[in-house]
Amino acid sequence: EDDVDWFRREFGGHIVFLLRHPIPVAQSREEFPRLESFMEPPFCENFTPGQLAAAREVLSVGNRFEIATLDWCFQNAVRLRHVSPEWPVLSYEQLVLDPEVVIRHLASRLQLGAPDRMVARLYKASGSTGKSSRISQEILRDPDAMRRNRWWLVDKWQERTSPEQVEAAFRLLSTFGISYY
């Protein structure tokens, strides 16, 4: 988690750093298998005493949403601090709202051939849509509906999020020095 560039060094590939807004990620998480290990050395040495104290407080008195947001912070804070200029940094939201531009950018940046073939594949639903709501599944199976509902696909998390949850999430992001969202 704290040395993503290892993959580039070890395998000679490219890193594409993809983020998704922490709130919909927190809403969809069911398990946090590595959360406790983030609090242990050597990984915890990436964080200040204040950040670790805030994490311990969330772990002891936080609700499931706050714990899931903390997990997102641990998974992304170190990488965001050490983003290399060589890495394309993309968001899920960019991919949904402007996929053609993102694909052409990646194809150019990573010297990939046939971006038109990738663009042609855009509107085919992933095999993992089973976890999506019925309405989302219907939209994801219909290319025209996907084009019409891009903003809804990106923003639908707001329908199930209270102002208190938004405030708690952004308080944690601020504690961890994350300003991307």
Side-chain angles (χ1 to χ4, degrees), residues 4-156:
V4 173
D5 208 42
W6 174 86
F7 291 97
R8 183 196 53 77
R9 292 188 310 270
E10 192 68 22
F11 300 108
H14 297 279
I15 302 296
V16 176
F17 189 14
L18 178 65
L19 282 173
R20 185 169 186 200
H21 195 289
I23 292 176
V25 171
Q27 290 174 335
S28 70
R29 293 296 306 274
E30 295 172 1
E31 296 178 20
F32 316 105
R34 297 184 325 266
L35 186 55
E36 294 295 330
S37 67
F38 292 142
M39 298 289 294
E40 301 295 326
F43 191 79
C44 71
E45 295 164 7
N46 291 295
F47 302 100
T48 67
Q51 290 168 331
L52 293 172
R56 281 190 290 279
E57 181 177 344
V58 167
L59 289 172
S60 67
V61 299
N63 59 40
R64 189 198 138 306
F65 175 80
E66 293 165 335
I67 292 168
T69 304
L70 173 64
D71 189 62
W72 186 97
C73 289
F74 275 137
Q75 289 182 9
N76 291 284
V78 177
R79 287 182 267 182
L80 289 171
R81 269 188 254 143
H82 300 290
V83 168
S84 168
E86 297 172 18
W87 302 354
V89 178
L90 306 171
S91 70
Y92 162 83
E93 294 79 14
Q94 286 173 295
L95 284 169
V96 171
L97 296 174
D98 212 0
E100 294 89 353
V101 170
V102 171
I103 286 175
R104 293 187 194 292
H105 170 74
L106 283 175
S108 171
R109 183 97 182 254
L110 303 175
Q111 301 169 352
L112 303 173
D116 291 332
R117 285 179 51 209
M118 290 181 256
V119 169
R121 178 74 175 108
L122 272 176
Y123 297 101
K124 295 188 192 299
S126 142
S128 64
T129 58
K131 290 186 74 175
S132 299
S133 70
R134 184 190 53 75
I135 294 169
S136 294
Q137 288 179 29
E138 289 172 10
I139 290 170
L140 292 170
R141 287 188 188 114
D142 179 351
D144 292 328
M146 284 176 66
R147 288 180 185 95
R148 286 191 312 272
N149 291 288
R150 288 178 182 181
W151 277 104
W152 181 80
L153 289 167
V154 167
D155 288 341
K156 65 183 176 178

